[in-house]
Amino acid sequence: MKYNHKKVESKWHKKWVLEKVYEPDLKNAKNSYYNLMMFPYPSAEGLHVGNMYAFVGSDIHGRFKRMQGFNVFEPIGLDGFGIHSENYALKIGEHPMDQARVSEKNFYRQLQMIGNGFAWNEKLETYDPEYYKWTQWIFIQLYKKGLAYRKKSAVNWCPSCLTVLADEQVISGECERCNTKVIKKELEQWFFRITKYADKLLKGLDKIDWSEKVKIAQRNWIGKSEGASIKFSLVDVTGQKNGKHFVEVFTTRPDTIFGVTFVAISPEKAKFWLDIGWQAGEEVKSYITKALSERVAKDQNQDKDKSGIFSGILAVNPANNEKIPVWISDYILAGYGTGAVMGVPAHDERDFEFAKKFELAISDASLVSIEEGIKKSGGKKTVQFRLRDWLISRQRYWGAPIPMIHCEKCGWQTVPEKDLPVRLPYIKNFRPTGTSESPLAANENFYKVKCPKCEGVARRETDVSDTFLDSAWYYLGYLMLGNKKSLLRRGYAGQAKNKKFYFDGGLVKKWCPVNMYIGGAEHSVLHLLYVRFLAMVFKDLRLTNFGEPFKKFRAHGLLIKDGAKMSKSKGNVINPDEYIKNYGADVLRMYLMFLGPFDQGGDFRDGGIKGITRFLDRVWKIANSDKRSHYAKASRDGQGTSEELNKKIHKTIKKVTEDIENLNYNTSISALMVLLNEFEANMESVGKNELEIFTKLLAPFAPHMSEEVWREILKNKKSIHIAPWPKFDSKLIKDAEVDVVVQVNAKMRAVIKLPAGASQKDVEIAAKNNENISKYLISPIKKVIFIKDKFINFVV
RNA sequence: GCUGGGGUGGCGAAAUUGGUAGACGCACUAGCCUUAGGAGUUAGCGGGGCAACCCAUGGGAGUUCGAGUCUCCCCCCCAGCACCA
């Protein structure tokens, strides 16, 4: 009887849904376990095999926990709002709103095929007005708390996507989406004050169980520097000391204060001085103008050749009263510290380079202690962060409209909560304009509104919010949307006024924080930072009772193809469809997991699929074998099992259990292969009991075939996926006889079988009686190293 | 430049955390079965040697009875950050 993966897989997909195998009772479940995976954005033709790799790895964990008796909640949805989906729609010439429906259908079809234990009732899409109503509501809460604000500044602009980008979305000077070089543009935009949470975001990392590399990336991104701010008073070139003016610098090296030979300020700071009345020379003025304009146009990766000009002003080093020149230079960043540095060429490479280029003095003055340096300069200890506020506005169409209204008289007003959601209209001209305005700005029906305060004519904000805002709270959304009685579905007018937690409904409190979150490390400083930030805000707003959203996070590795990154431009992206069609989802799942350690990724090569296909074919053969079934009855109570085989089964249970726990799926699978080999060599000992254990161990990896064997062959009534995970007997695992390695001078000379627990004396006697050993023991033995049941080494 | 992760057969990888290096799988070779096989099955498979054995985990040193594993120096690959004072 040949295994028909197509029939079997679709049969169980239907039954699982009917039997609600993967739908926990969200309200009453005990032992809740929230197993979350990063939801995909449906930007391309279909599901990427890299998505599948991640989802299967997460699902194996979820299935394992479910069999261990947890009520596992494993939801899925689509991150379909935002620039990535919009760019795809633009590329194929479809309207994003129409395309969303097409992609949605296709993605859900594919997500169904891979055989994950998804809780389909709770699925969500970020472009669903029921969903983005809350995205907007969150914006309003942040605005009310002063955490959302408008600011004019030089922001990152992608000339291809025609929108601004957050700092986190600029990767090595390029747009995160389309790899176009990003330029700077001076614009007024909405920001989230994530910097206010810099310290909390940093400290929280110590308390959560996350992949270390993600924690490190976040620490670096937040970039805390401890140092001092020091004031240098200014004198003009004529030497007149005018006590009122000073320049403040930030330094992490106050101990180098006596080596300062100049002060350098950013062009932005110089411009500010001009604005408040500084009478600079023409040459200086024109340098400032030039530096500023270059700063805006320059893409971030250009050469770091430093320019600069002497301002004509001198500063006084507060530690030794030495007069030093104040320079204006483009190597000074405006957005970090005070926008001014003390130049210490002897101890700082950049200062050295600058001093050399402009022939400034280089002092060899000796160091003092940090404390003393601060004291001598009259500075004070300060902390600086590298983290910048999160730029939220996007001049695009396909996103959640920012729920704000601007009135000439009353200023910025939030959209009243009863008017949410601010629906994104279906408009014909959805293409980005490039004018620093969203396409919505051309739509009068959309932007012309009454001021919520004075009822006068007002204008709605026409920018939409960053798609990373959509994904920054979706783990809560799953608990709010699926339940028909949820807050989200029934609306929220007048709700929760007296309630402790707004996101309550009982479910968030019951299921959050998320127990296990699995996803790509590429989101280390994007999604994973934003989610933590919002979770902290929610807690401070008393909307939830936890500050860290994910107790445990594990990053999976990158799946590559024949040694190269899969990408649309290279045309080597693998669509799982044809593999599932040809080999079945179980084979593809196991193949992906067998490639290598889950956190290291792997290289997708067609050749290796054969190994797994053979393996599952042999499992099927054994399950259907006459030789086996003949003994089934007798061995039901373990009677048919040989002691030797039973031992191996229990060792395998231990290994697979521990390996799954640590996400070492590749070695779990190899342990199953070893056991299968044993089964084949001892068919007469493989009865129902043995096969049941094996099938259970296989279930997380190959959910369809194991269910088929479990129910159709082994005739169990309920799904294997809620059957209890096998336990191993640690007594059984201990061997009665052990292999003891015998070495002479640390060279392996023999392996002898001895009863477990043999003493050093017994082992020595046995070893000396062994021909292979005795011939090496001619010279006197100087030393013996012995490890019980393992090892003996004679040093001669 | 800084931070992190790596470097083991022809290939993907294991290695109980200092104790038999290469489990498991792919590819390959030979045999069997078959009208046939891109099926199944048996055996072999790091290099050298008839053998006893010897050599081998990027390179070099060190610690140790013993090092893929620990320490130091160097080389290479991947990922992230990058004028952050």
Side-chain angles (χ1 to χ4, degrees):
Chain A
M1 187 168 48
K2 212 176 176 293
Y3 181 74
N4 183 332
H5 64 257
K6 247 182 245 172
K7 259 191 181 161
V8 171
E9 289 180 2
S10 72
K11 172 174 85 184
W12 293 117
H13 290 164
K14 281 175 207 140
K15 283 209 175 173
W16 288 336
V17 171
L18 278 174
E19 295 173 5
K20 294 197 161 94
V21 173
Y22 310 121
E23 290 291 345
D25 179 346
L26 290 176
K27 247 189 186 160
N28 304 309
K30 286 188 179 123
N31 256 340
S32 67
Y33 193 94
Y34 194 162
N35 186 51
L36 183 69
M37 60 197 77
M38 282 184 187
F39 63 165
Y41 48 85
S43 61
E45 311 277 356
L47 195 75
H48 190 286
V49 74
N51 293 133
M52 181 168 166
Y53 179 77
F55 298 159
V56 168
S58 174
D59 183 60
I60 290 168
H61 180 77
R63 288 180 179 279
F64 172 64
K65 286 287 165 191
R66 191 179 290 111
M67 290 176 79
Q68 283 191 324
F70 289 95
N71 271 294
V72 174
F73 180 44
E74 186 174 302
I76 191 71
L78 298 178
D79 188 15
F81 230 169
I83 198 165
H84 38 238
S85 300
E86 187 180 346
N87 280 358
Y88 175 65
L90 283 166
K91 197 178 130 197
I92 62 167
E94 293 290 337
H95 194 287
M97 208 175 267
D98 300 331
Q99 183 53 36
R101 298 296 158 202
V102 177
S103 296
E104 180 179 318
K105 215 177 144 196
N106 190 34
F107 258 72
Y108 282 141
R109 177 189 63 78
Q110 289 187 298
L111 285 166
Q112 157 99 6
M113 303 271 286
I114 67 175
N116 272 20
F118 288 133
W120 288 108
N121 285 351
E122 283 75 23
K123 72 176 160 58
L124 61 77
E125 301 82 40
T126 50
Y127 48 80
D128 179 353
E130 289 296 319
Y131 182 90
Y132 69 71
K133 172 164 82 185
W134 283 84
T135 308
Q136 293 169 339
W137 184 83
I138 288 166
F139 185 99
I140 291 171
Q141 306 317 306
L142 266 79
Y143 180 80
K144 286 180 175 168
K145 272 279 165 184
L147 293 170
Y149 68 98
R150 271 176 85 79
K151 175 177 78 173
K152 190 174 181 180
S153 67
V155 295
N156 308 303
W157 174 266
C158 172
S160 167
C161 293
L162 302 174
T163 181
V164 297
L165 300 170
D167 286 334
E168 289 81 4
Q169 287 146 30
V170 180
I171 313 290
S172 304
E174 293 175 357
C175 170
E176 179 246 347
R177 296 279 11 124
C178 67
N179 299 329
T180 305
K181 290 250 183 224
V182 167
I183 59 166
K184 292 278 182 185
K185 211 166 176 176
E186 187 88 9
L187 290 171
E188 188 176 311
Q189 302 283 309
W190 288 103
F191 288 86
F192 277 178
R193 217 179 284 282
I194 191 171
T195 50
K196 200 182 163 194
Y197 283 77
D199 234 345
K200 272 192 181 174
L201 286 164
L202 201 59
K203 284 200 181 117
L205 290 172
D206 299 333
K207 294 178 293 194
I208 48 180
D209 179 8
W210 281 32
S211 296
E212 203 51 37
K213 63 174 167 182
V214 172
K215 285 195 189 184
I216 288 162
Q218 292 210 357
R219 281 195 192 103
N220 290 343
W221 187 260
I222 295 165
K224 183 177 182 171
S225 295
E226 291 181 39
S229 54
I230 299 171
K231 286 179 181 175
F232 286 66
S233 54
L234 300 175
V235 293
D236 64 28
V237 249
T238 58
Q240 283 177 313
K241 199 164 175 179
N242 161 354
K244 276 188 287 185
H245 298 295
F246 61 86
V247 58
E248 188 166 27
V249 304
F250 172 73
T251 180
T252 54
R253 299 289 309 274
D255 53 324
T256 64
I257 187 75
F258 289 99
V260 176
T261 59
F262 65 95
V263 166
I265 68 169
S266 66
E268 287 83 356
K269 197 174 192 79
K271 173 77 174 21
F272 174 74
W273 286 7
L274 287 177
D275 289 347
I276 59 169
W278 174 36
Q279 304 290 315
E282 283 309 312
E283 216 181 319
V284 172
K285 277 188 192 163
S286 75
Y287 171 78
I288 294 169
T289 314
K290 189 175 143 254
L292 285 175
S293 73
E294 273 177 5
R295 183 92 106 195
V296 169
K298 235 184 199 177
D299 66 52
Q300 308 209 336
N301 246 10
Q302 249 173 20
D303 65 296
K304 308 245 154 101
D305 204 23
K306 297 172 176 55
S307 70
I309 193 165
F310 174 50
S311 66
I313 299 173
L314 296 178
V316 182
N317 183 339
N320 59 9
N321 279 323
E322 208 175 292
K323 287 197 181 88
I324 49 174
V326 175
W327 281 67
I328 302 163
S329 172
D330 64 351
Y331 89 93
I332 309 303
L333 301 170
Y336 183 78
T338 60
V341 304
M342 56 185 218
V344 190
H347 293 285
D348 184 284
E349 246 178 78
R350 294 150 303 179
D351 295 347
F352 179 76
E353 206 182 296
F354 189 74
K356 229 170 100 185
K357 180 164 178 186
F358 293 99
E359 297 176 345
L360 301 174
I362 296 169
S363 160
D364 58 356
S366 57
L367 296 177
V368 293
S369 87
I370 289 179
E371 293 299 327
E372 218 191 324
I374 296 174
K375 212 168 148 191
K376 296 219 163 167
S377 62
K380 62 170 195 279
K381 276 192 181 175
T382 27
V383 171
Q384 286 293 335
F385 292 94
R386 181 191 178 287
L387 184 70
R388 243 65 73 73
D389 279 339
W390 176 10
L391 173 46
I392 285 289
S393 319
R394 294 293 179 275
Q395 291 71 45
R396 298 285 293 226
Y397 166 68
W398 190 235
I402 292 174
M404 297 296 293
I405 292 169
H406 188 254
C407 170
E408 289 295 335
K409 250 196 282 175
C410 314
W412 283 102
Q413 302 294 320
T414 58
V415 171
E417 293 188 15
K418 67 174 169 51
D419 294 342
L420 294 180
V422 175
R423 283 185 181 264
L424 182 68
Y426 188 100
I427 58 168
K428 261 194 172 165
N429 292 323
F430 58 85
R431 283 163 194 283
T433 63
T435 59
S436 317
E437 275 192 325
S438 150
L440 292 170
N443 193 297
E444 200 180 277
N445 283 338
F446 178 77
Y447 69 71
K448 205 170 163 187
V449 283
K450 274 187 192 167
C451 170
K453 201 174 174 188
C454 70
E455 307 230 315
V457 180
R459 189 184 166 92
R460 191 188 286 291
E461 168 67 67
T462 53
D463 282 355
V464 298
S465 57
D466 181 7
T467 183
F468 280 96
L469 180 57
D470 304 325
S471 56
W473 68 276
Y474 76 114
Y475 65 101
L476 299 169
Y478 285 131
L479 293 162
M480 294 155 69
L481 278 153
N483 183 346
K484 291 243 163 59
K485 287 179 190 159
S486 73
L487 291 174
L488 205 79
R489 290 280 186 227
R490 73 179 182 223
Y492 42 81
Q495 249 177 32
K497 276 209 166 138
N498 307 313
K499 277 195 180 172
K500 211 172 166 189
F501 306 114
Y502 202 100
F503 283 141
D504 194 328
L507 296 185
V508 166
K509 209 173 171 187
K510 188 174 184 65
W511 290 88
C512 290
V514 168
N515 296 79
M516 174 63 120
Y517 192 32
I518 289 178
E522 71 273 19
H523 286 114
S524 298
V525 294
L526 287 155
H527 169 64
L528 287 170
L529 191 65
Y530 297 144
V531 188
R532 295 183 59 227
F533 161 55
L534 278 194
M536 288 172 184
V537 173
F538 295 156
K539 190 188 177 191
D540 287 351
L541 293 173
R542 302 181 62 74
L543 296 168
T544 65
N545 60 348
F546 56 89
E548 288 289 348
F550 314 128
K551 281 188 224 168
K552 204 166 171 175
F553 171 80
R554 288 292 177 275
H556 64 252
L558 190 69
L559 189 65
I560 57 175
K561 165 74 179 160
D562 296 324
K565 223 176 195 168
M566 283 187 214
S567 73
K568 272 161 255 160
S569 56
K570 280 189 206 121
N572 62 350
V573 174
I574 292 183
N575 184 323
D577 278 2
E578 58 171 308
Y579 289 89
I580 290 177
K581 199 177 135 207
N582 292 337
Y583 303 96
D586 284 344
V587 168
L588 186 56
R589 285 170 68 99
M590 288 192 80
Y591 168 65
L592 291 173
M593 294 302 111
F594 191 57
L595 281 174
F598 187 55
D599 61 355
Q600 270 176 45
D603 194 347
F604 192 102
R605 291 168 203 258
D606 288 16
I609 291 177
K610 211 179 226 174
I612 298 290
T613 308
R614 280 181 191 151
F615 170 73
L616 287 178
D617 279 350
R618 283 159 58 210
V619 171
W620 184 243
K621 217 180 206 173
I622 282 196
N624 285 283
S625 164
D626 288 344
K627 281 183 194 161
R628 181 197 64 76
S629 55
H630 178 69
Y631 289 86
K633 267 186 196 156
S635 63
R636 190 164 196 168
D637 326 321
Q639 287 165 9
T641 328
S642 76
E643 207 178 305
E644 205 47 37
L645 186 63
N646 204 30
K647 191 163 284 181
K648 279 167 181 156
I649 289 172
H650 280 261
K651 279 185 178 172
T652 308
I653 297 173
K654 182 171 194 281
K655 171 114 182 104
V656 172
T657 306
E658 287 169 358
D659 283 355
I660 292 188
E661 195 78 63
N662 296 318
L663 271 50
N664 290 329
Y665 300 140
N666 56 331
T667 49
S668 311
I669 292 172
S670 90
L672 289 171
M673 288 172 168
V674 173
L675 186 59
L676 185 74
N677 291 343
E678 289 295 334
F679 275 14
E680 283 179 341
N682 302 281
M683 280 293 269
E684 71 288 348
S685 299
V686 181
K688 182 171 176 175
N689 186 44
E690 291 68 41
L691 188 60
E692 284 199 339
I693 292 175
F694 183 88
T695 312
K696 281 185 185 179
L697 296 178
L698 180 68
F701 301 95
H704 309 92
M705 184 185 280
S706 50
E707 184 78 307
E708 181 74 7
V709 171
W710 181 254
R711 294 223 239 180
E712 305 294 358
I713 295 174
L714 296 169
K715 302 292 178 198
N716 287 289
K717 294 244 155 50
K718 286 189 180 167
S719 172
I720 190 170
H721 301 297
I722 47 173
W725 187 254
K727 288 203 172 77
F728 61 88
D729 184 340
S730 46
K731 270 181 253 157
L732 274 176
I733 286 172
K734 280 196 186 129
D735 290 305
E737 280 204 318
V738 290
D739 287 336
V740 178
V741 173
V742 184
Q743 295 186 346
V744 179
N745 284 342
K747 294 239 186 240
M748 216 270 291
R749 295 301 174 190
V751 179
I752 47 179
K753 252 197 194 332
L754 287 169
S759 68
Q760 177 166 348
K761 218 174 193 177
D762 297 338
V763 177
E764 278 186 37
I765 291 164
K768 282 170 188 165
N769 285 336
N770 185 305
E771 274 179 49
N772 251 341
I773 307 295
S774 52
K775 68 181 175 187
Y776 290 101
L777 295 177
I778 304 159
S779 10
I781 297 167
K782 286 184 203 149
K783 197 173 170 187
V784 179
I785 293 120
F786 175 71
I787 300 170
K788 201 175 178 182
D789 291 345
K790 266 192 183 164
F791 172 88
I792 192 160
N793 182 19
F794 298 97
V795 184
V796 297

